Amino acid sequence: MEYDDMIHLPHHQSKKRMRMSLSDRAAQFAPFAALTGHEQAVEETARLTEERLELSDSAREELDRMLQFLAEHPKTVRVTYFIPDAKKAGGAYVTVTGMVKKISRYHGVLTLTDGTEILVKDIWECVPIQET
């Protein structure tokens, strides 16, 4: 046979590099994620958002009256408002409860005492809560 003269020679060991461990050698052949981020993209596409609802003119007028009253007489309120989604069309409606700190007509922001700032244009409903 052609390799009979070398088959019994010792395996070559480099003097400059250490021998690679079996786990490191196996890692060279491990599968890799060819579509990095694909799973996250599919999850993002499947994530549902709500469509922004538009207030009727009468509901907008009622909300304006309520905000004007709250600016003069701060009370504890329950506010439902829309938060636009940063990644796709739509968003989510969130309801919070808190004491009104101030309402800035100039900036169009309702601020609660806990620091929550809500854009007036995003408010769907604002209901005063009866304090006992």
Side-chain angles (χ1 to χ4, degrees):
M1 304 246 238
E2 9 181 323
Y3 299 108
D4 284 343
D5 60 332
M6 339 183 211
I7 201 149
H8 298 293
L9 291 176
H11 182 72
H12 171 71
Q13 286 284 73
S14 172
K15 294 178 181 166
K16 295 180 181 176
R17 298 189 180 153
M18 292 187 56
R19 186 174 178 139
M20 189 181 289
S21 71
L22 287 178
S23 64
D24 289 342
R25 287 172 54 101
Q28 293 180 22
F29 304 101
F32 66 97
L35 298 173
T36 303
H38 178 70
E39 186 174 327
Q40 290 85 356
V42 170
E43 288 174 2
E44 177 61 26
T45 302
R47 187 172 57 85
L48 298 176
T49 58
E50 295 179 74
E51 191 174 318
R52 181 191 290 259
L53 303 171
E54 292 297 323
L55 287 175
S56 66
D57 289 339
S58 61
R60 175 63 56 195
E61 288 172 11
E62 180 63 31
L63 179 60
D64 287 343
R65 279 193 296 276
M66 176 60 66
L67 293 175
Q68 188 173 9
F69 172 78
L70 290 171
E72 297 168 8
H73 311 285
K75 293 190 177 294
T76 301
V77 292
R78 185 180 66 242
V79 182
T80 301
Y81 64 102
F82 185 78
I83 299 177
D85 193 282
K87 296 184 179 181
K88 61 197 285 187
Y93 279 92
V94 176
T95 301
V96 295
T97 301
M99 177 73 159
V100 173
K101 181 177 181 180
K102 69 177 179 177
I103 298 174
S104 170
R105 290 294 208 184
Y106 181 75
H107 293 103
V109 176
L110 172 116
T111 305
L112 302 179
T113 55
D114 67 359
T116 302
E117 292 185 340
I118 303 167
L119 293 176
V120 171
K121 69 180 183 74
D122 292 334
I123 296 175
W124 176 253
E125 181 180 47
C126 182
V127 180
I129 296 176
Q130 298 295 329
E131 297 174 4
T132 56

